Amino acid sequence: MKGGMIECSVCHSKLVSPTTKSFSRAYDRHKSRVSSKQRALNILLVVGDCVLVGLQPILVYTSKVDGKFKFSPISVNFLTEIAKVLFAVVMLCIQARNQKVGEKPLLSISSFVQAARNNVLLAVPALLYAINNYLKFIMQLYFNPATVKMLSNLKVLVIAVLLKIIMKRRFSIIQWEALALLLIGISVNQMRSLPEGTTALGLPVATGAYVYTLIFVTVPSLASVYNEYALKSQYDTSIYLQNLFLYGYGAIFNFLGILGTVIVKGPGSFDILQGHSKATMLLIANNAAQGILSSFFFKYADTILKKYSSTVATIFTGIASAALFGHTLTMNFMLGISIVFISMHQFFSPLSKVKDEQNGTVELLEARDNHRSKDSFINMTAGANEEASHRVGPDERQPLLPT
Protein backbone atom coordinates (compact mmCIF):
# COMPACT_ATOMS: atom_id res chain seq x y z
CA MET A 1 0.00 0.00 0.00
CA LYS A 2 1.45 3.35 -1.07
CA GLY A 3 0.02 6.80 -0.43
CA GLY A 4 -3.18 5.36 0.94
CA MET A 5 -3.71 3.29 -2.23
CA ILE A 6 -4.06 -0.49 -2.58
CA GLU A 7 -2.86 -2.10 -5.85
CA CYS A 8 -4.20 -5.43 -7.02
CA SER A 9 -1.38 -7.94 -7.60
CA VAL A 10 -3.24 -9.48 -10.58
CA CYS A 11 -4.80 -6.64 -12.59
CA HIS A 12 -2.79 -3.78 -11.00
CA SER A 13 -5.89 -1.64 -10.57
CA LYS A 14 -5.71 0.82 -7.69
CA LEU A 15 -8.21 1.38 -4.90
CA VAL A 16 -8.28 3.83 -2.04
CA SER A 17 -7.51 2.06 1.23
CA PRO A 18 -10.72 1.88 3.30
CA THR A 19 -10.74 4.06 6.40
CA THR A 20 -12.76 3.85 9.60
CA LYS A 21 -15.10 6.42 8.04
CA SER A 22 -15.65 4.11 5.08
CA PHE A 23 -16.57 1.25 7.39
CA SER A 24 -18.99 3.54 9.19
CA ARG A 25 -20.68 4.48 5.91
CA ALA A 26 -20.96 0.84 4.91
CA TYR A 27 -22.58 0.09 8.27
CA ASP A 28 -25.09 2.92 7.75
CA ARG A 29 -25.96 1.50 4.33
CA HIS A 30 -26.26 -2.01 5.76
CA LYS A 31 -28.71 -0.82 8.44
CA SER A 32 -30.91 0.98 5.93
CA ARG A 33 -31.36 -2.17 3.81
CA VAL A 34 -32.19 -4.78 6.43
CA SER A 35 -34.57 -7.57 5.49
CA SER A 36 -38.11 -7.99 6.74
CA LYS A 37 -36.93 -10.88 8.93
CA GLN A 38 -34.38 -8.61 10.55
CA ARG A 39 -37.07 -6.00 11.23
CA ALA A 40 -39.29 -8.67 12.79
CA LEU A 41 -36.37 -9.78 14.97
CA ASN A 42 -35.77 -6.18 16.06
CA ILE A 43 -39.43 -5.79 17.03
CA LEU A 44 -39.37 -8.99 19.08
CA LEU A 45 -36.17 -7.91 20.78
CA VAL A 46 -37.60 -4.50 21.66
CA VAL A 47 -40.88 -5.92 23.02
CA GLY A 48 -39.07 -8.50 25.13
CA ASP A 49 -36.60 -5.93 26.38
CA CYS A 50 -39.38 -3.52 27.38
CA VAL A 51 -41.07 -6.16 29.53
CA LEU A 52 -37.91 -7.46 31.20
CA VAL A 53 -36.24 -4.09 31.78
CA GLY A 54 -39.49 -2.60 33.02
CA LEU A 55 -39.95 -5.38 35.58
CA GLN A 56 -36.41 -5.28 36.94
CA PRO A 57 -36.57 -2.15 39.17
CA ILE A 58 -39.96 -3.26 40.48
CA LEU A 59 -38.58 -6.67 41.47
CA VAL A 60 -35.57 -5.00 43.09
CA TYR A 61 -37.90 -2.72 45.04
CA THR A 62 -40.09 -5.59 46.25
CA SER A 63 -37.01 -7.50 47.42
CA LYS A 64 -36.17 -4.75 49.94
CA VAL A 65 -37.23 -5.14 53.59
CA ASP A 66 -37.67 -1.89 55.53
CA GLY A 67 -35.82 -0.08 52.78
CA LYS A 68 -32.79 -2.40 52.94
CA PHE A 69 -31.59 -5.59 51.28
CA LYS A 70 -31.48 -8.62 53.57
CA PHE A 71 -29.41 -10.49 51.00
CA SER A 72 -26.10 -9.76 49.35
CA PRO A 73 -26.59 -8.12 45.93
CA ILE A 74 -23.42 -9.84 44.75
CA SER A 75 -25.02 -13.23 45.47
CA VAL A 76 -27.96 -12.30 43.23
CA ASN A 77 -25.56 -11.37 40.44
CA PHE A 78 -23.59 -14.62 40.92
CA LEU A 79 -26.73 -16.78 40.80
CA THR A 80 -27.88 -14.83 37.72
CA GLU A 81 -24.63 -15.60 35.91
CA ILE A 82 -24.91 -19.29 36.87
CA ALA A 83 -28.45 -19.39 35.45
CA LYS A 84 -27.23 -17.84 32.19
CA VAL A 85 -24.34 -20.31 31.97
CA LEU A 86 -26.77 -23.22 32.35
CA PHE A 87 -28.99 -21.76 29.63
CA ALA A 88 -26.02 -21.36 27.28
CA VAL A 89 -24.92 -24.97 27.90
CA VAL A 90 -28.42 -26.32 27.19
CA MET A 91 -28.74 -24.29 23.98
CA LEU A 92 -25.24 -25.35 22.87
CA CYS A 93 -26.19 -29.01 23.29
CA ILE A 94 -29.38 -28.49 21.29
CA GLN A 95 -27.48 -26.63 18.55
CA ALA A 96 -24.79 -29.34 18.43
CA ARG A 97 -27.40 -32.07 17.99
CA ASN A 98 -28.94 -30.21 15.05
CA GLN A 99 -25.66 -29.68 13.21
CA LYS A 100 -25.48 -30.86 9.62
CA VAL A 101 -23.02 -33.43 8.35
CA GLY A 102 -19.68 -31.86 7.49
CA GLU A 103 -20.00 -28.87 9.83
CA LYS A 104 -17.28 -28.28 12.39
CA PRO A 105 -18.46 -29.80 15.70
CA LEU A 106 -19.30 -27.17 18.31
CA LEU A 107 -18.49 -29.28 21.35
CA SER A 108 -15.12 -30.67 20.28
CA ILE A 109 -12.17 -29.75 22.49
CA SER A 110 -10.24 -28.12 19.63
CA SER A 111 -13.23 -25.96 18.60
CA PHE A 112 -13.90 -24.94 22.21
CA VAL A 113 -10.29 -23.99 22.91
CA GLN A 114 -9.99 -22.02 19.66
CA ALA A 115 -13.26 -20.17 20.35
CA ALA A 116 -12.12 -19.41 23.90
CA ARG A 117 -8.92 -17.83 22.57
CA ASN A 118 -10.76 -15.81 19.93
CA ASN A 119 -13.34 -14.52 22.44
CA VAL A 120 -11.05 -13.69 25.35
CA LEU A 121 -12.03 -10.01 24.93
CA LEU A 122 -15.43 -10.86 26.42
CA ALA A 123 -13.75 -10.82 29.84
CA VAL A 124 -13.67 -7.01 29.70
CA PRO A 125 -17.45 -6.39 29.39
CA ALA A 126 -18.02 -9.25 31.86
CA LEU A 127 -16.03 -7.36 34.51
CA LEU A 128 -17.81 -4.09 33.74
CA TYR A 129 -21.21 -5.79 33.89
CA ALA A 130 -20.32 -7.30 37.29
CA ILE A 131 -19.65 -3.80 38.60
CA ASN A 132 -22.80 -2.41 36.99
CA ASN A 133 -25.07 -5.13 38.37
CA TYR A 134 -23.99 -4.23 41.89
CA LEU A 135 -24.61 -0.53 41.21
CA LYS A 136 -28.20 -1.30 40.20
CA PHE A 137 -28.96 -2.24 43.79
CA ILE A 138 -27.15 0.79 45.20
CA MET A 139 -29.16 3.13 42.96
CA GLN A 140 -32.40 1.75 44.42
CA LEU A 141 -31.38 3.14 47.82
CA TYR A 142 -31.46 6.69 46.42
CA PHE A 143 -34.25 6.75 43.82
CA ASN A 144 -37.64 5.15 43.24
CA PRO A 145 -37.92 2.57 40.38
CA ALA A 146 -39.23 5.00 37.74
CA THR A 147 -36.43 7.48 38.40
CA VAL A 148 -33.78 4.74 38.21
CA LYS A 149 -35.14 3.82 34.79
CA MET A 150 -35.03 7.45 33.63
CA LEU A 151 -31.44 7.86 34.85
CA SER A 152 -30.36 4.71 33.01
CA ASN A 153 -31.53 6.35 29.79
CA LEU A 154 -28.53 8.68 30.08
CA LYS A 155 -26.53 5.70 28.82
CA VAL A 156 -27.87 6.37 25.31
CA LEU A 157 -25.92 9.62 25.03
CA VAL A 158 -22.75 8.12 26.52
CA ILE A 159 -23.01 5.12 24.19
CA ALA A 160 -23.44 7.43 21.18
CA VAL A 161 -20.28 9.31 22.12
CA LEU A 162 -18.35 6.07 22.63
CA LEU A 163 -19.57 4.71 19.29
CA LYS A 164 -18.50 7.95 17.63
CA ILE A 165 -15.03 7.86 19.20
CA ILE A 166 -14.24 4.15 19.27
CA MET A 167 -16.15 2.67 16.32
CA LYS A 168 -16.42 5.82 14.16
CA ARG A 169 -20.20 5.43 14.00
CA ARG A 170 -21.89 8.38 12.28
CA PHE A 171 -24.93 10.28 13.55
CA SER A 172 -26.78 13.09 11.81
CA ILE A 173 -27.42 16.50 13.37
CA ILE A 174 -31.07 15.55 13.85
CA GLN A 175 -30.03 12.44 15.76
CA TRP A 176 -27.73 14.45 18.03
CA GLU A 177 -30.62 16.84 18.63
CA ALA A 178 -32.79 13.83 19.51
CA LEU A 179 -30.22 12.75 22.08
CA ALA A 180 -30.23 16.29 23.50
CA LEU A 181 -34.03 16.05 23.82
CA LEU A 182 -33.55 12.79 25.67
CA LEU A 183 -31.34 14.52 28.22
CA ILE A 184 -33.92 17.27 28.64
CA GLY A 185 -36.65 14.72 29.22
CA ILE A 186 -34.56 12.96 31.87
CA SER A 187 -33.74 16.26 33.56
CA VAL A 188 -37.40 17.28 33.69
CA ASN A 189 -38.32 14.03 35.42
CA GLN A 190 -35.34 14.26 37.77
CA MET A 191 -36.40 17.56 39.39
CA ARG A 192 -36.94 17.15 43.14
CA SER A 193 -36.65 13.36 42.97
CA LEU A 194 -34.07 13.10 45.74
CA PRO A 195 -35.27 12.58 49.30
CA GLU A 196 -34.33 15.53 51.49
CA GLY A 197 -32.48 15.47 54.78
CA THR A 198 -31.01 11.95 54.54
CA THR A 199 -27.42 10.82 54.23
CA ALA A 200 -25.60 7.76 52.99
CA LEU A 201 -21.99 6.57 53.17
CA GLY A 202 -21.07 9.70 55.11
CA LEU A 203 -21.96 11.95 52.16
CA PRO A 204 -25.00 14.15 51.63
CA VAL A 205 -27.50 12.06 49.73
CA ALA A 206 -27.43 14.34 46.69
CA THR A 207 -23.64 14.05 46.37
CA GLY A 208 -23.60 10.29 46.87
CA ALA A 209 -26.49 9.78 44.47
CA TYR A 210 -24.92 11.74 41.65
CA VAL A 211 -21.51 10.09 42.12
CA TYR A 212 -23.17 6.70 41.79
CA THR A 213 -25.19 8.00 38.84
CA LEU A 214 -22.00 8.99 37.00
CA ILE A 215 -20.52 5.51 37.49
CA PHE A 216 -23.90 3.86 36.85
CA VAL A 217 -24.09 5.53 33.43
CA THR A 218 -20.47 5.32 32.29
CA VAL A 219 -19.53 1.73 33.21
CA PRO A 220 -22.40 -0.13 31.47
CA SER A 221 -22.16 2.15 28.44
CA LEU A 222 -18.53 1.21 27.94
CA ALA A 223 -19.44 -2.44 28.57
CA SER A 224 -22.20 -2.35 25.93
CA VAL A 225 -20.02 -0.83 23.22
CA TYR A 226 -17.16 -3.21 23.96
CA ASN A 227 -19.53 -6.17 24.12
CA GLU A 228 -20.97 -5.35 20.70
CA TYR A 229 -17.46 -5.09 19.28
CA ALA A 230 -16.35 -8.39 20.84
CA LEU A 231 -19.44 -10.32 19.71
CA LYS A 232 -19.46 -9.00 16.15
CA SER A 233 -15.70 -9.34 15.68
CA GLN A 234 -16.21 -13.12 15.99
CA TYR A 235 -19.45 -13.18 14.00
CA ASP A 236 -19.08 -16.80 12.83
CA THR A 237 -18.86 -18.13 16.40
CA SER A 238 -22.10 -19.47 17.86
CA ILE A 239 -23.76 -16.85 20.04
CA TYR A 240 -24.46 -19.51 22.67
CA LEU A 241 -20.77 -20.37 22.80
CA GLN A 242 -19.90 -16.68 23.12
CA ASN A 243 -22.52 -16.33 25.85
CA LEU A 244 -20.97 -19.27 27.68
CA PHE A 245 -17.64 -17.44 27.80
CA LEU A 246 -19.21 -14.09 28.70
CA TYR A 247 -21.36 -15.49 31.50
CA GLY A 248 -18.54 -17.75 32.70
CA TYR A 249 -16.29 -14.73 33.13
CA GLY A 250 -19.15 -12.92 34.85
CA ALA A 251 -19.66 -15.78 37.30
CA ILE A 252 -15.95 -15.79 38.14
CA PHE A 253 -15.86 -12.03 38.80
CA ASN A 254 -18.98 -12.15 40.97
CA PHE A 255 -17.60 -15.12 42.92
CA LEU A 256 -14.44 -13.10 43.57
CA GLY A 257 -16.74 -10.36 44.88
CA ILE A 258 -18.36 -12.88 47.26
CA LEU A 259 -14.92 -13.94 48.50
CA GLY A 260 -14.07 -10.29 49.09
CA THR A 261 -17.27 -9.89 51.13
CA VAL A 262 -16.30 -12.95 53.20
CA ILE A 263 -12.91 -11.42 53.96
CA VAL A 264 -14.50 -8.15 55.08
CA LYS A 265 -17.59 -9.41 56.93
CA GLY A 266 -16.50 -12.88 57.99
CA PRO A 267 -17.34 -16.49 57.00
CA GLY A 268 -21.02 -16.04 57.88
CA SER A 269 -21.56 -13.96 54.75
CA PHE A 270 -20.51 -16.84 52.48
CA ASP A 271 -24.05 -18.26 52.46
CA ILE A 272 -25.17 -17.01 49.05
CA LEU A 273 -28.80 -18.03 49.69
CA GLN A 274 -29.09 -16.05 52.92
CA GLY A 275 -31.96 -13.53 52.92
CA HIS A 276 -33.41 -14.64 49.59
CA SER A 277 -37.14 -14.88 48.95
CA LYS A 278 -39.54 -15.56 46.10
CA ALA A 279 -39.07 -11.96 44.96
CA THR A 280 -35.31 -12.41 44.65
CA MET A 281 -35.76 -15.68 42.75
CA LEU A 282 -37.99 -13.84 40.26
CA LEU A 283 -35.37 -11.10 40.11
CA ILE A 284 -32.66 -13.63 39.28
CA ALA A 285 -34.79 -15.16 36.52
CA ASN A 286 -35.58 -11.70 35.11
CA ASN A 287 -31.93 -10.61 35.16
CA ALA A 288 -30.86 -13.83 33.43
CA ALA A 289 -33.47 -13.44 30.68
CA GLN A 290 -32.53 -9.79 30.24
CA GLY A 291 -28.83 -10.62 29.88
CA ILE A 292 -29.51 -13.33 27.32
CA LEU A 293 -31.72 -10.99 25.29
CA SER A 294 -29.07 -8.27 25.41
CA SER A 295 -26.52 -10.53 23.73
CA PHE A 296 -28.87 -10.92 20.75
CA PHE A 297 -29.21 -7.13 20.59
CA PHE A 298 -25.46 -6.60 20.51
CA LYS A 299 -24.71 -9.31 17.94
CA TYR A 300 -27.67 -9.05 15.56
CA ALA A 301 -29.02 -5.54 16.13
CA ASP A 302 -27.50 -2.38 17.57
CA THR A 303 -26.44 -0.97 20.94
CA ILE A 304 -28.36 2.25 20.39
CA LEU A 305 -31.52 0.28 19.60
CA LYS A 306 -31.00 -1.71 22.81
CA LYS A 307 -30.76 1.38 24.98
CA TYR A 308 -33.58 3.21 23.27
CA SER A 309 -35.83 0.20 23.71
CA SER A 310 -35.10 0.39 27.42
CA THR A 311 -36.57 3.89 27.49
CA VAL A 312 -39.90 2.48 26.36
CA ALA A 313 -39.93 0.43 29.56
CA THR A 314 -39.93 3.67 31.57
CA ILE A 315 -43.63 4.27 31.17
CA PHE A 316 -44.37 0.68 32.18
CA THR A 317 -42.14 0.99 35.25
CA GLY A 318 -43.70 4.30 36.28
CA ILE A 319 -47.28 3.11 35.99
CA ALA A 320 -46.55 -0.22 37.69
CA SER A 321 -44.66 1.39 40.60
CA ALA A 322 -47.53 3.83 41.06
CA ALA A 323 -50.09 1.03 41.10
CA LEU A 324 -48.10 -1.34 43.33
CA PHE A 325 -46.22 0.97 45.68
CA GLY A 326 -48.24 4.20 45.64
CA HIS A 327 -45.53 6.30 43.97
CA THR A 328 -47.03 9.47 42.54
CA LEU A 329 -46.86 10.05 38.78
CA THR A 330 -45.92 13.72 38.89
CA MET A 331 -46.32 16.25 36.11
CA ASN A 332 -42.53 16.22 35.79
CA PHE A 333 -42.63 12.49 35.07
CA MET A 334 -45.37 12.81 32.47
CA LEU A 335 -43.59 15.67 30.69
CA GLY A 336 -40.29 13.83 30.83
CA ILE A 337 -41.82 10.69 29.32
CA SER A 338 -43.39 12.73 26.51
CA ILE A 339 -40.07 14.35 25.64
CA VAL A 340 -38.29 10.97 25.71
CA PHE A 341 -40.76 9.47 23.24
CA ILE A 342 -40.48 12.49 20.93
CA SER A 343 -36.70 12.06 21.07
CA MET A 344 -36.95 8.37 20.18
CA HIS A 345 -39.26 9.05 17.23
CA GLN A 346 -36.94 11.79 15.96
CA PHE A 347 -33.81 9.63 16.29
CA PHE A 348 -35.23 6.73 14.25
CA SER A 349 -37.14 8.85 11.75
CA PRO A 350 -36.13 8.30 8.08
CA LEU A 351 -35.50 12.03 7.84
CA SER A 352 -32.72 11.76 10.42
CA LYS A 353 -30.69 9.14 8.55
CA VAL A 354 -27.08 9.99 7.77
CA LYS A 355 -26.58 10.96 4.13
CA ASP A 356 -23.38 10.23 2.30
CA GLU A 357 -21.21 13.23 1.51
CA GLN A 358 -20.89 12.21 -2.11
CA ASN A 359 -23.85 11.31 -4.32
CA GLY A 360 -26.06 10.79 -1.26
CA THR A 361 -25.45 7.01 -0.94
CA VAL A 362 -22.91 4.26 -0.48
CA GLU A 363 -22.96 1.86 -3.43
CA LEU A 364 -22.87 -1.85 -2.67
CA LEU A 365 -22.83 -4.74 -5.11
CA GLU A 366 -26.30 -6.18 -5.67
CA ALA A 367 -24.88 -9.69 -5.72
CA ARG A 368 -23.91 -9.36 -2.09
CA ASP A 369 -27.47 -8.49 -1.07
CA ASN A 370 -28.55 -12.11 -1.58
CA HIS A 371 -26.15 -13.18 1.15
CA ARG A 372 -26.76 -10.30 3.57
CA SER A 373 -28.50 -12.33 6.24
CA LYS A 374 -25.69 -14.92 6.28
CA ASP A 375 -22.64 -12.74 5.85
CA SER A 376 -23.81 -9.34 7.07
CA PHE A 377 -20.63 -8.51 8.96
CA ILE A 378 -18.47 -9.49 5.99
CA ASN A 379 -20.67 -7.40 3.70
CA MET A 380 -20.06 -4.33 5.84
CA THR A 381 -16.33 -4.68 5.13
CA ALA A 382 -17.02 -5.28 1.43
CA GLY A 383 -19.24 -2.23 1.34
CA ALA A 384 -16.47 -0.15 2.88
CA ASN A 385 -13.99 -1.27 0.21
CA GLU A 386 -16.43 -0.55 -2.60
CA GLU A 387 -17.36 2.86 -1.16
CA ALA A 388 -13.68 3.72 -1.13
CA SER A 389 -13.23 2.57 -4.73
CA HIS A 390 -15.82 5.09 -5.98
CA ARG A 391 -13.66 7.89 -4.67
CA VAL A 392 -10.79 7.05 -7.05
CA GLY A 393 -10.62 9.26 -10.12
CA PRO A 394 -10.50 7.88 -13.68
CA ASP A 395 -6.82 8.80 -14.02
CA GLU A 396 -5.91 6.71 -10.99
CA ARG A 397 -7.37 3.45 -12.38
CA GLN A 398 -5.53 1.08 -14.71
CA PRO A 399 -7.62 -1.06 -17.06
CA LEU A 400 -7.36 -4.80 -17.04
CA LEU A 401 -5.68 -5.88 -20.28
CA PRO A 402 -6.88 -9.09 -21.89
CA THR A 403 -4.44 -11.96 -21.79
Side-chain angles (χ1 to χ4, degrees):
M1 182 176 71
K2 298 180 180 180
M5 304 290 293
I6 298 177
E7 182 174 346
C8 179
S9 59
V10 179
C11 65
H12 302 290
S13 60
K14 296 181 179 180
L15 301 175
V16 177
S17 175
T19 62
T20 54
K21 191 172 183 179
S22 299
F23 282 102
S24 179
R25 289 179 178 177
Y27 178 80
D28 293 334
R29 180 61 171 170
H30 166 75
K31 285 202 305 180
S32 66
R33 303 179 67 176
V34 294
S35 64
S36 58
K37 290 184 179 180
Q38 181 66 37
R39 291 191 182 95
L41 175 62
N42 290 346
I43 293 174
L44 290 176
L45 290 174
V46 169
V47 172
D49 190 60
C50 289
V51 175
L52 296 174
V53 174
L55 283 174
Q56 184 187 41
I58 297 175
L59 292 174
V60 171
Y61 187 84
T62 56
S63 64
K64 290 191 294 186
V65 179
D66 298 328
K68 298 180 180 179
F69 298 116
K70 296 297 183 180
F71 58 89
S72 170
I74 299 178
S75 68
V76 171
N77 298 333
F78 175 72
L79 293 174
T80 298
E81 296 301 324
I82 293 298
K84 291 190 289 187
V85 167
L86 293 176
F87 176 84
V89 170
V90 172
M91 295 306 299
L92 262 179
C93 293
I94 295 175
Q95 190 176 25
R97 290 184 59 182
N98 294 330
Q99 278 189 296
K100 298 179 181 179
V101 179
E103 291 183 347
K104 189 176 182 180
L106 285 172
L107 302 181
S108 66
I109 297 178
S110 59
S111 298
F112 187 86
V113 172
Q114 184 63 37
R117 291 175 179 174
N118 294 338
N119 291 274
V120 69
L121 292 178
L122 290 172
V124 177
L127 175 61
L128 296 176
Y129 282 135
I131 298 173
N132 175 63
N133 290 335
Y134 177 75
L135 291 176
K136 289 179 180 179
F137 292 93
I138 298 297
M139 292 294 291
Q140 294 288 339
L141 299 177
Y142 295 102
F143 306 105
N144 60 50
T147 304
V148 170
K149 206 61 241 109
M150 289 294 292
L151 281 173
S152 67
N153 293 336
L154 278 167
K155 300 172 188 176
V156 177
L157 178 61
V158 180
I159 286 173
V161 174
L162 290 174
L163 288 173
K164 178 73 174 178
I165 296 174
I166 298 175
M167 301 180 68
K168 307 302 180 183
R169 191 73 54 81
R170 299 191 308 156
F171 301 101
S172 67
I173 295 178
I174 296 179
Q175 288 176 321
W176 284 114
E177 291 174 348
L179 294 176
L181 275 180
L182 178 63
L183 285 179
I184 294 173
I186 295 171
S187 301
V188 169
N189 176 71
Q190 184 59 19
M191 293 178 181
R192 296 184 181 180
S193 63
L194 288 173
E196 299 179 358
T198 56
T199 59
L201 302 178
L203 297 172
V205 68
T207 304
Y210 284 109
V211 167
Y212 277 118
T213 298
L214 179 63
I215 303 175
F216 178 68
V217 169
T218 305
V219 170
S221 300
L222 182 60
S224 297
V225 173
Y226 205 93
N227 195 15
E228 180 180 350
Y229 168 76
L231 289 173
K232 288 182 176 177
S233 64
Q234 299 295 323
Y235 199 80
D236 292 334
T237 305
S238 168
I239 187 172
Y240 301 115
L241 190 56
Q242 289 178 309
N243 284 345
L244 179 61
F245 299 135
L246 177 63
Y247 305 147
Y249 289 132
I252 292 173
F253 291 133
N254 281 285
F255 184 74
L256 293 176
I258 293 176
L259 293 180
T261 304
V262 171
I263 295 174
V264 175
K265 296 184 178 181
S269 61
F270 189 73
D271 185 5
I272 61 177
L273 297 179
Q274 182 180 1
H276 286 280
S277 62
K278 292 181 179 180
T280 58
M281 293 298 105
L282 290 175
L283 177 63
I284 291 171
N286 179 274
N287 288 350
Q290 188 180 153
I292 294 168
L293 191 68
S294 296
S295 64
F296 283 86
F297 263 105
F298 296 138
K299 183 157 186 174
Y300 299 115
D302 185 87
T303 307
I304 289 289
L305 178 63
K306 167 67 179 74
K307 293 307 174 184
Y308 251 116
S309 72
S310 298
T311 65
V312 180
T314 305
I315 187 171
F316 172 78
T317 305
I319 295 175
S321 62
L324 297 175
F325 314 122
H327 292 150
T328 304
L329 294 180
T330 63
M331 182 59 67
N332 288 346
F333 176 78
M334 300 305 296
L335 290 175
I337 287 294
S338 301
I339 297 174
V340 165
F341 274 93
I342 292 173
S343 166
M344 184 168 58
H345 176 267
Q346 181 175 337
F347 187 91
F348 291 103
S349 171
L351 297 177
S352 67
K353 300 298 181 183
V354 177
K355 294 184 178 180
D356 189 36
E357 296 176 0
Q358 297 180 3
N359 300 325
T361 187
V362 177
E363 296 295 335
L364 297 176
L365 290 177
E366 293 297 332
R368 294 193 180 105
D369 291 342
N370 296 329
H371 305 282
R372 189 188 310 115
S373 59
K374 181 178 180 182
D375 301 313
S376 58
F377 196 70
I378 298 176
N379 285 349
M380 289 194 296
T381 305
N385 281 301
E386 186 171 349
E387 185 274 338
S389 68
H390 283 284
R391 295 165 54 192
V392 182
D395 296 336
E396 296 174 304
R397 299 175 184 254
Q398 295 185 13
L400 176 63
L401 297 178
T403 57

